[in-house]
Amino acid sequence: MYKLGIDLGGTNIVAGVVDDNYNIVATAKVKTNLPRKAEEIVDDMAKVTFEAIKNANLTPDDIDAFGVGTPGSINPNTGVVSYSNNLGFYDLHLGDLLKEKTGKTFYLENDANAAAYGEYIAGAGKGTKNFIAVTLGTGIGGGIIIDGKLYSGSNYAGGELGHTVIQMNGEACTCGRLGCFEAYASATALIRQTKQAMVRYPESSMWKLCENDINKVNGRTSFDAMRLGDEAGKKVVDDYIAYLAIGISNIINIFQPEIICIGGGVSKEGETLTDPLKKTVYGENYARNLGTATKIIPAKLGNDAGIIGAAFLCDLHK
């Protein structure tokens, strides 16, 4: 049999049909086109559901479970999204609406949790009991697996790893706090830090890399400059990794998972990112003398993690 997972994002709505070996056999995608009414988004979720099934040369009766990973605070028992600032959802009965549109029951979970669950069952966390996924993207997403179970707190809003403070009275965060991990170690933060350095160092090769247009800066710019021997680029990277190490060290000291996987666009820097990160984190790990240090490794599934995790949410509700 097959399962279907929807990764509902701020940019795209992607549905995928997944087989029992966690292989995505067909997908369908549509732009989210925010801002717009929730009902229109649900209509498109139903549309990509049926398109993905058709693309797999299957019928809806061939799918034995349906799931969705969506931004926001979600009660998986009721299918209600109580709040999603990115999508503009407030007390949205998403599960009921999807059933009305498709005739199928969907399991729901926060999108970062769904992606973490995907990595847990089929990717970087496979074979572990205690596992955490951290995604470095527009913000910092996180998902926590404890003793093989997804942890989301008493109010289904737990696991917001990006909104722990690493700098008192620091940079403003979109959540309303100051100094959040996300405000210093997300891809958005890295881009901001790169632009600030470029203004301070007009001779930096970072200008050439972005064709003298500061609006073309991306998460690779400072890393590319560092590889060219640019001191300003190196400082941006060193400072960024130092911020990242603080947040990762905090997570390890609280949870002591077997593995933390790092995903998102910045993680594509590979060992250039993880080698210095590990050096700092392992020196600050409270349990560093126990001989069982948390492994820090790259995520394996990329954008597929959210689809696979959503498709198999049914297993969390057995």
Side-chain angles (χ1 to χ4, degrees):
M1 294 294 287
Y2 299 88
K3 297 175 175 60
L4 182 136
I6 297 178
D7 185 6
L8 173 58
T11 303
N12 295 306
I13 304 169
V14 187
V17 176
V18 187
D19 68 20
D20 289 336
N21 294 314
Y22 309 121
N23 299 307
I24 298 176
V25 299
T27 61
K29 180 171 72 173
V30 67
K31 292 291 184 182
T32 313
N33 288 328
L34 297 175
R36 59 174 172 152
K37 294 179 180 179
E39 290 76 9
E40 295 176 3
I41 294 174
V42 176
D43 284 341
D44 275 346
M45 294 172 72
K47 176 182 175 182
V48 295
T49 292
F50 292 120
E51 284 184 358
I53 294 170
K54 181 179 178 180
N55 291 341
N57 294 316
L58 299 171
T59 71
D61 290 339
D62 295 317
I63 310 298
D64 62 1
F66 296 78
V68 176
T70 175
S73 300
I74 297 97
N75 183 331
N77 297 318
T78 63
V80 174
V81 183
S82 57
Y83 176 61
S84 176
N85 62 311
N86 292 333
L87 299 176
F89 291 171
Y90 298 91
D91 195 32
L92 181 73
H93 291 241
L94 182 56
D96 289 344
L97 289 171
L98 282 168
K99 187 167 186 177
E100 178 183 314
K101 299 291 184 181
T102 66
K104 301 295 182 180
T105 297
F106 281 74
Y107 296 94
L108 272 72
E109 187 52 80
N110 170 269
D111 58 341
N113 286 345
Y117 187 60
E119 286 285 354
Y120 172 69
I121 60 176
K126 195 171 183 178
T128 65
K129 284 189 174 181
N130 300 290
F131 168 74
I132 293 177
V134 176
T135 303
L136 309 175
T138 303
I140 291 183
I144 302 166
I145 307 290
I146 299 176
D147 289 333
K149 298 178 181 179
L150 187 64
Y151 178 79
S152 58
S154 60
N155 57 358
Y156 309 107
E160 290 292 343
L161 303 176
H163 298 294
T164 56
V165 170
I166 66 169
Q167 179 65 57
M168 183 177 176
N169 296 324
E171 296 281 352
C173 182
T174 56
C175 75
R177 301 185 79 188
L178 299 178
C180 282
F181 184 26
E182 178 172 298
Y184 285 86
S186 63
T188 303
L190 175 59
I191 291 169
R192 184 190 72 245
Q193 292 155 11
T194 302
K195 290 179 178 179
Q196 290 170 343
M198 289 169 62
V199 173
R200 289 195 302 270
Y201 302 101
E203 74 284 359
S204 169
S205 61
M206 291 186 285
W207 283 101
K208 184 177 180 180
L209 287 169
C210 62
E211 301 174 342
N212 290 315
D213 183 352
I214 202 167
N215 294 315
K216 292 184 178 180
V217 169
N218 57 42
R220 300 185 304 274
T221 303
S222 58
F223 281 90
D224 288 343
M226 179 185 69
R227 283 186 277 267
L228 293 172
D230 185 87
E231 287 298 320
K234 182 178 185 303
K235 179 168 173 46
V236 172
V237 171
D238 288 347
D239 288 348
Y240 173 79
I241 292 175
Y243 293 133
L244 182 60
I246 294 171
I248 296 297
S249 296
N250 290 344
I251 294 168
I252 290 176
N253 286 341
I254 295 169
F255 295 102
Q256 293 295 334
E258 295 159 66
I259 288 175
I260 284 184
C261 81
I262 309 292
V266 183
S267 71
K268 294 178 182 178
E269 293 296 336
E271 293 180 352
T272 304
L273 175 75
T274 56
D275 282 356
L277 175 66
K278 291 176 186 177
K279 184 176 180 180
T280 301
V281 169
Y282 291 155
E284 297 183 356
N285 177 11
Y286 180 80
R288 59 187 173 274
N289 296 319
L290 296 182
T292 54
T294 297
K295 294 180 181 178
I296 302 172
I297 65 174
K300 293 183 177 180
L301 301 180
N303 293 333
D304 292 345
I307 294 173
I308 295 170
F312 282 82
L313 289 175
C314 56
D315 290 347
L316 292 174
H317 299 276
K318 286 181 178 179

